């Protein structure tokens, strides 16, 4: 059992696709010598999503994708759906003890604009590990989704880049009650939606969706953090000034196991800061700043700069991918009549597919 002790956790913070930004490794329970992203064949595939320790990767042509546990090196090859589609997300569910019961891969087939460009209807295909087949589903969203980058938690997929500012929409793929997205207003709306000095991020910590925000002031940074309750209300956990952090700091993510710790990007000094909100102790991450207590942290400085420059340039909320070890290191749920692959087999298969595609292209 992984108890995820704060001094010995293994998780990675990634930019969607292939860039690992921050990696924490050395977990005593699993004995990992490197960060989680190292165990994913990301040089050949795109990392599309993660849920309860499972990772979704796709080959560059987007037809072939795999779901697996990179540490156990177990992967399930997901067949393409009946029609052309793009990867939408990975959701999974666990029982009360934290065991992964199953997963679903969601692919987007069509977006239909409705209500004079106010809303939209999504046609998606859903692959279930329980049945091993694709089913079609239609979901209605009251707003236009302007960016289909998403994050998932406990079977629910969330979008915040919408035609309406200050709103989050969510859909639970394990519930058959409704075909409508649930609308969740972000806290402090509408003021924060029109103040570009606020920097916000959506993240997860201790099993909850978290909304975190900073506001630079002359003498300190004001940090606020809320968690999303099960009834779609927000509960404020932090409202605190950080006098030691002067300048423009952008929230990146909360620690997945400890809601006292937040990671921030300094636009002025170009570094990542880990801040303990309770003790107000800060640490600059990076090889030149490592000490004995944090020698198991790897920072991709160029990747952080490129990622945060793009996000801040777009004035968008920050939404990064957290790769986290599962609570229990168990086999990947395997669909009926499907053979499990190891990482070496995945690499061999993807390499062969890419070589065939190149040969066909050269012969055209």
């Amino acid at each position: 059992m992984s108890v995820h002790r704060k001094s010995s956790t293994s998780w990675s913070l990634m930019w969607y696709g292939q860039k690992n930004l921050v990696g924490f490794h050395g977990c005593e329970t699993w004995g990992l010598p490197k960060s989680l992203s190292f165990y994913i064949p990301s040089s050949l595939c795109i990392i599309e999503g993660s849920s309860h320790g499972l990772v979704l990767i796709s080959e560059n042509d987007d037809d072939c994708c795999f779901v697996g546990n990179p540490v156990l090196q177990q992967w399930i090859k997901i067949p393409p759906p009946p029609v052309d589609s793009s990867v939408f997300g990975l959701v999974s569910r666990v029982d009360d003890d934290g065991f992964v019961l199953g997963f679903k891969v969601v692919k987007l087939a069509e977006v239909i604009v409705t209500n004079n460009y106010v809303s939209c209807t999504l046609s998606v295909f859903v692959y279930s590990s329980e049945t091993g087949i694709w089913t079609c589903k239609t979901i209605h969203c009251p707003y236009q989704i302007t960016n289909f980058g998403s994050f998932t938690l406990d079977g629910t997929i969330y979008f915040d880049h919408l035609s309406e500012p200050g709103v989050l929409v969510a859909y639970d793929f394990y519930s058959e009650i409704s075909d409508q997205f649930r609308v969740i207003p972000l806290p402090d709306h509408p003021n924060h939606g029109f103040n570009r000095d606020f920097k916000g991020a959506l993240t997860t910590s201790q099993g909850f969706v978290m909304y975190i925000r900073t506001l630079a002031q002359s003498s300190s940074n004001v940090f606020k953090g809320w968690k999303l309750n099960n009834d779609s209300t927000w509960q404020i956990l932090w409202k605190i000034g950080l006098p030691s952090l002067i300048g423009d700091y952008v929230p990146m993510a909360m620690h997945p196991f400890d809601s006292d710790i937040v990671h921030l990007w300094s636009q002025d000094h170009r570094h990542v800061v880990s801040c303990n909100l309770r003790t107000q102790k800060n640490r600059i991450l990076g090889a030149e700043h490592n000490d004995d207590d944090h020698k198991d942290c790897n920072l991709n400085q160029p990747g952080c700069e490129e990622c945060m420059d793009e996000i801040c340039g777009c004035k968008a909320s920050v939404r990064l991918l957290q790769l986290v070890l599962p609570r229990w290191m168990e086999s990947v749920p395997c669909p009926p009549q499907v053979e499990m692959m190891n990482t070496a087999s995945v690499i061999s298969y993807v390499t062969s597919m890419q070589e065939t595609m190149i040969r066909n292209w050269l012969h055209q």
Side-chain angles (χ1 to χ4, degrees):
M1 177 180 179
S2 170
V3 293
H4 295 312
R5 297 194 182 278
K6 298 176 184 179
S7 62
S8 180
T9 58
S10 293
W11 65 286
S12 293
L13 190 62
M14 301 194 69
W15 197 12
Y16 283 84
Q18 296 176 313
K19 287 185 172 60
N20 182 39
L21 303 182
V22 184
F24 298 90
H25 58 91
C27 179
E28 295 174 358
T29 304
W30 303 128
L32 299 181
K34 297 187 178 182
S35 59
L36 286 176
S37 59
F38 174 81
Y39 302 92
I40 303 173
S42 56
S43 61
L44 298 172
C45 298
I46 298 172
I47 301 172
E48 303 281 4
S50 177
S51 178
H52 292 122
L54 299 179
V55 177
L56 171 66
I57 59 176
S58 70
E59 204 270 329
N60 289 326
D61 65 5
D62 211 29
D63 288 334
C64 178
C65 60
F66 302 85
V67 172
N69 182 319
V71 179
L72 294 181
Q73 298 191 38
Q74 296 177 343
W75 298 92
I76 303 297
K77 181 178 179 293
I78 309 299
V83 300
D84 290 339
S85 56
S86 58
V87 174
F88 197 59
L90 171 70
V91 295
S92 63
R93 61 173 179 171
V94 297
D95 63 14
D96 294 337
D97 295 319
F99 285 100
V100 178
L101 299 175
F103 65 83
K104 292 183 178 183
V105 176
V106 186
K107 284 198 167 189
L108 177 64
E110 186 180 20
V111 180
I112 301 174
V113 176
T114 57
N115 194 20
N116 197 25
Y117 291 91
V118 173
S119 55
C120 64
T121 296
L122 310 180
S123 178
V124 300
F125 282 93
V126 182
Y127 180 90
S128 171
S129 64
E130 297 177 0
T131 62
I133 61 174
W134 289 96
T135 57
C136 186
K137 191 174 187 64
T138 300
I139 316 171
H140 304 283
C141 182
Y143 308 110
Q144 288 291 321
I145 301 175
T146 57
N147 185 317
F148 281 94
S150 62
F151 69 99
T152 63
L153 183 67
D154 294 334
T156 300
I157 191 166
Y158 296 86
F159 296 96
D160 67 316
H161 290 180
L162 308 166
S163 56
E164 178 75 12
V167 173
L168 182 69
V169 295
Y171 186 80
D172 183 357
F173 279 94
Y174 282 96
S175 174
E176 301 297 332
I177 297 176
S178 173
D179 61 356
Q180 304 281 338
F181 274 92
R182 179 163 44 105
V183 177
I184 307 168
L186 292 174
D188 279 7
H189 181 73
N191 293 335
H192 87 277
F194 298 97
N195 190 333
R196 292 182 179 271
D197 294 329
F198 287 112
K199 306 294 191 304
L202 284 159
T203 181
T204 62
S205 182
Q206 296 183 316
F208 290 94
V209 173
M210 307 285 290
Y211 177 60
I212 55 180
R213 204 181 66 194
T214 57
L215 174 61
Q217 295 183 341
S218 58
S219 58
S220 69
N221 247 277
V222 176
F223 176 86
K224 289 185 178 182
W226 296 262
K227 78 171 183 179
L228 182 63
N229 296 316
N230 294 330
D231 61 357
S232 296
T233 62
W234 294 96
Q235 176 185 347
I236 190 162
L237 300 181
W238 295 103
K239 183 179 180 181
I240 187 172
L242 303 174
S244 58
L245 298 179
I246 306 299
D248 206 352
Y249 281 84
V250 182
M252 297 177 70
M254 298 292 291
H255 192 293
F257 313 118
D258 187 353
S259 58
D260 290 355
I261 298 176
V262 62
H263 294 88
L264 307 164
W265 171 254
S266 171
Q267 288 187 276
D268 299 326
H269 304 291
R270 315 288 288 173
H271 58 224
V272 179
V273 174
S274 177
C275 177
N276 188 311
L277 299 169
R278 193 169 299 280
T279 64
Q280 296 238 351
K281 291 183 178 179
N282 306 321
R283 183 177 83 254
I284 299 175
L285 303 185
E288 67 273 21
H289 301 288
N290 281 346
D291 53 31
D292 291 338
D293 293 331
H294 304 101
K295 60 186 177 182
D296 293 331
C297 171
N298 293 328
L299 177 72
N300 178 358
Q301 180 68 27
C304 286
E305 292 185 7
E306 180 185 359
C307 166
M308 298 309 295
D309 284 348
E310 180 172 326
I311 292 174
C312 296
C314 296
K315 303 294 183 182
S317 61
V318 180
R319 188 183 56 241
L320 301 175
L321 177 64
Q322 293 168 301
L323 295 183
V324 183
L325 277 176
R327 180 178 175 185
W328 300 94
M329 194 69 79
E330 57 181 351
S331 294
V332 177
C334 192
Q337 310 301 319
V338 174
E339 184 177 350
M340 197 171 293
M341 304 171 66
N342 59 28
T343 301
S345 298
V346 171
I347 294 174
S348 177
Y349 178 86
V350 173
T351 301
S352 175
M353 291 292 293
Q354 291 179 350
E355 290 174 349
T356 300
M357 182 178 64
I358 292 174
R359 284 196 300 267
N360 293 338
W361 180 79
L362 292 174
H363 290 153
Q364 287 181 352

